[in-house]
């Protein structure tokens, strides 16, 4: 479900999420509580690759509880780094380097409590594409977030 609720941020760097010229937001309900969902996202999506055939390579391990400081390299030699995180609440990361056609890219994954002990995961991204790449980059980001969040939701169903 693509939406742009732009709810007030809990923790992290709100100003950094407003610096890009484009904004994408994708959300998905997950059958886990916020801490379990956070842990599953870190393990299954950030480290495990979110169901894609080639998982990322961990360049630098971050904090064991939150992932803060972790740097991973995803296919295409793109490096991403977790800048801020609070277990059960949010993760903020950036594209650190690589050939992704953006001059700025900051992502945020929020874990919001929902009914019946579930979690609404809201993945947003503020970015500035290079040249005329805006529509393509927006599509890649929306599709990728959707794949990763559906994988997370399936993981949550298995864990019940």
């Amino acid at each position: 479900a693509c939406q742009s609720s732009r709810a007030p941020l809990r923790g992290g760097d709100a100003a950094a999420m407003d610096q890009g010229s484009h904004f994408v937001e994708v959300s998905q309900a997950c059958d886990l509580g916020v801490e379990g969902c956070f842990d599953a996202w870190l393990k299954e999506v950030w480290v495990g690759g979110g169901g894609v055939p080639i998982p990322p390579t961990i360049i630098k391990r971050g904090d064991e509880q939150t992932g803060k400081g972790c740097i991973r390299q995803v296919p295409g030699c793109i490096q991403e780094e977790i800048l801020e995180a609070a277990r059960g609440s949010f993760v903020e990361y950036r594209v650190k380097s690589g050939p992704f056609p953006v001059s700025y890219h900051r992502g945020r994954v929020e874990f919001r409590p929902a009914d019946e002990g579930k979690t609404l995961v809201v993945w947003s991204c503020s970015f500035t594409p290079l040249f005329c790449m805006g529509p393509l980059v927006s599509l890649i980001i929306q599709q990728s977030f959707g794949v990763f969040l559906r994988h997370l939701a399936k993981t949550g169903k298995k864990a019940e």
Side-chain angles (χ1 to χ4, degrees):
C2 271
Q3 36 187 321
S4 186
S5 61
R6 301 296 299 253
L9 300 180
R10 300 172 296 142
D13 187 347
M17 287 302 295
D18 287 332
Q19 287 184 13
S21 64
H22 289 63
F23 185 85
V24 169
E25 184 174 278
V26 179
S27 61
Q28 173 75 51
C30 187
D31 292 339
L32 294 169
V34 289
E35 287 190 353
C37 193
F38 179 97
D39 294 344
W41 182 87
L42 205 56
K43 178 183 176 192
E44 296 290 333
V45 176
W46 185 264
V47 174
V52 297
I54 303 170
T57 301
I58 301 302
I59 304 294
K60 177 185 172 197
R61 291 206 174 289
D63 180 81
E64 284 189 30
Q65 293 293 311
T66 66
K68 182 177 178 179
C70 182
I71 300 171
R72 71 178 188 164
Q73 183 168 297
V74 298
C77 296
I78 298 164
Q79 289 190 8
E80 298 175 324
E81 175 183 21
I82 296 178
L83 301 170
E84 294 290 333
R87 186 170 179 255
S89 184
F90 74 94
V91 172
E92 283 187 7
Y93 69 95
R94 68 176 176 137
V95 169
K96 184 177 181 343
S97 64
F100 199 54
V102 295
S103 60
Y104 181 82
H105 180 287
R106 185 163 182 128
R108 180 178 175 91
V109 183
E110 286 190 46
F111 303 87
R112 299 178 185 169
D115 293 340
E116 301 174 11
K118 297 180 181 182
T119 300
L120 179 64
V121 183
V122 180
W123 197 331
S124 57
C125 178
S126 174
F127 64 98
T128 302
L130 299 178
F131 315 114
C132 299
M133 301 296 287
L136 178 63
V137 172
S138 292
L139 181 65
I140 289 169
I141 291 171
Q142 280 184 332
Q143 294 296 316
S144 299
F145 290 0
V147 166
F148 300 151
L149 289 177
R150 284 189 297 276
H151 176 78
L152 178 64
K154 288 178 193 167
T155 300
K157 287 192 185 305
K158 290 179 195 169
E160 285 189 313

